[in-house]
Amino acid sequence: MTPASHPKDRLILALDLPDPGRARDLARKLAEEVGLFKIGLELFVAGGPAFLREMADEFPSRIFLDLKLHDIPHTVASVLRRLPPGVALTTVHAGLGPTGLRQIMAAGPAGVKILAVTVLTSLSSPDLAALGYDPRLAEAPRELVVRQARLAQAAGCHGVVCSGREVAAVKAACGPEFVAVCPGIRPAWAQVAADDQKRTLTPEDALRQGADYLVVGRPVSRAPDPVAAARRVAGEIAQGLAAREAASPA
Ligand code: C5P
């Protein structure tokens, strides 16, 4: 994972394309504009492990493999040990629990940073209540996210994936070094057809709230000019960072 020395290094482009060839073309086109490329389950299944290895070879330390693993710790640890070098970041579910997270972190490979996915933003309060969560926590998912982030940190995970709306609470609980990666980012100028993202934040606001890295997909990949869109997002990241630094005590 490249250290975020430039605002664009904090931009993770979601390569949410079903066609590995088109995904690779997009990554090549934007290689100078973004920090990391996110390969999710759809693209991993379409391209297979060979595609992942090729991408990790071509973009070393710049691949975020987002498979959101949620299985018994032995299986998750075995998968993590088989990741090719060059994968910088990957995800497991916080739902593995404190013991499971500790086991996979103890057995996990060196070199890849492991993020815990907290409460999926697709889950509503009624969903959480139906799943058996305490009604108070189901009503206030932020508290649940913070609780899971603390567990993940105690287990040795490097950070979490969380909404920009929860990142300030996560940072307050876990400290500045615990990495927060935020999806659901929508620049004010972005127009995404039939958008399924509801609880969104602009790049600038997400940075102000404490995000370290932003996952951005369609606002860049479906823009008429993806290079210009990525540059615009990086500019807003720079503004958010400047505002955050100005607001923090000297
Ligand atoms: O910017 P866009 O909405 O296109 O980004 C979608 C990407 O963000 C997808 O890869 C999806 O997996 C990821 N995402 C996520 N968690 C959410 C929302 C989106 O990881 N809560």
Side-chain angles (χ1 to χ4, degrees), residues 14 16 38 66 68 121 161 183-186 196-197 215-219:
D16 291 329
K38 183 168 95 76
D66 183 23
K68 299 184 172 71
T121 50
V161 177
I185 302 299
R186 287 290 176 270
D196 51 357
Q197 298 277 23
V215 173
V216 179
R218 289 162 290 180

Side-chain angles (χ1 to χ4, degrees), residues 118-119 128 133-134 137-138 140-149:
T118 57
V119 184
L128 292 168
Y133 285 93
D134 179 273
L137 288 176
R142 179 176 297 167
E143 210 180 309
L144 202 48
V145 170
V146 168
R147 186 186 286 219
Q148 294 184 358

Side-chain angles (χ1 to χ4, degrees), residues 13-16 38-41 64 66 68 91 117 119-122 161-163 182-186 192 195-197 200 215-222:
L13 178 68
L15 295 174
D16 291 329
K38 183 168 95 76
I39 297 178
L41 201 48
F64 172 15
D66 183 23
K68 299 184 172 71
T91 47
V117 176
V119 184
L120 290 178
T121 50
S122 53
V161 177
C162 66
S163 148
C182 297
I185 302 299
R186 287 290 176 270
V192 174
D195 202 348
D196 51 357
Q197 298 277 23
T200 60
V215 173
V216 179
R218 289 162 290 180
V220 168
S221 61
R222 296 202 188 163

Side-chain angles (χ1 to χ4, degrees), residues 182-207:
C182 297
I185 302 299
R186 287 290 176 270
W189 43 265
Q191 285 173 351
V192 174
D195 202 348
D196 51 357
Q197 298 277 23
K198 300 278 183 278
R199 299 173 65 242
T200 60
L201 241 62
T202 65
E204 182 173 343
D205 284 342
L207 264 290

Side-chain angles (χ1 to χ4, degrees), residues 4-241:
S5 55
H6 190 279
K8 72 180 179 184
D9 297 336
R10 296 174 182 270
L11 176 53
I12 302 175
L13 178 68
L15 295 174
D16 291 329
L17 297 166
D19 175 347
R22 281 179 52 212
R24 192 197 320 261
D25 288 347
L26 184 65
R28 286 179 178 161
K29 192 170 178 175
L30 289 163
E32 299 301 318
E33 315 301 334
V34 309
L36 291 100
F37 299 105
K38 183 168 95 76
I39 297 178
L41 201 48
E42 181 186 17
L43 183 55
F44 179 70
V45 169
F51 171 72
L52 175 64
R53 269 196 301 278
E54 287 162 18
M55 290 292 282
D57 283 347
E58 183 166 352
F59 303 102
S61 303
R62 297 179 66 189
I63 299 298
F64 172 15
L65 181 64
D66 183 23
L67 300 183
K68 299 184 172 71
L69 298 170
H70 195 175
D71 205 320
I72 58 169
H74 175 77
T75 303
V76 174
S78 301
V79 173
L80 295 178
R81 278 198 298 275
R82 282 167 179 73
L83 295 183
V87 174
L89 267 182
T90 194
T91 47
V92 302
H93 262 278
L96 277 147
T99 311
L101 289 173
R102 265 201 309 277
Q103 285 172 358
I104 64 149
M105 291 312 295
V112 57
K113 290 203 181 337
I114 299 186
L115 305 176
V117 176
T118 57
V119 184
L120 290 178
T121 50
S122 53
L123 288 171
S124 65
S125 293
D127 285 330
L128 292 168
L131 282 168
Y133 285 93
D134 179 273
R136 196 180 54 82
L137 288 176
E139 267 314 306
R142 179 176 297 167
E143 210 180 309
L144 202 48
V145 170
V146 168
R147 186 186 286 219
Q148 294 184 358
R150 284 188 200 273
L151 287 178
Q153 186 177 36
C157 294
H158 301 92
V160 284
V161 177
C162 66
S163 148
R165 295 176 183 238
E166 291 140 9
V167 68
V170 167
K171 286 285 182 173
C174 300
E177 301 302 319
F178 192 60
V179 175
V181 174
C182 297
I185 302 299
R186 287 290 176 270
W189 43 265
Q191 285 173 351
V192 174
D195 202 348
D196 51 357
Q197 298 277 23
K198 300 278 183 278
R199 299 173 65 242
T200 60
L201 241 62
T202 65
E204 182 173 343
D205 284 342
L207 264 290
R208 276 176 188 261
Q209 295 295 316
D212 296 300
Y213 295 87
L214 305 183
V215 173
V216 179
R218 289 162 290 180
V220 168
S221 61
R222 296 202 188 163
D225 181 346
V227 169
R231 288 183 183 163
R232 222 168 152 182
V233 173
E236 294 185 26
I237 289 175
Q239 284 170 2
L241 267 179

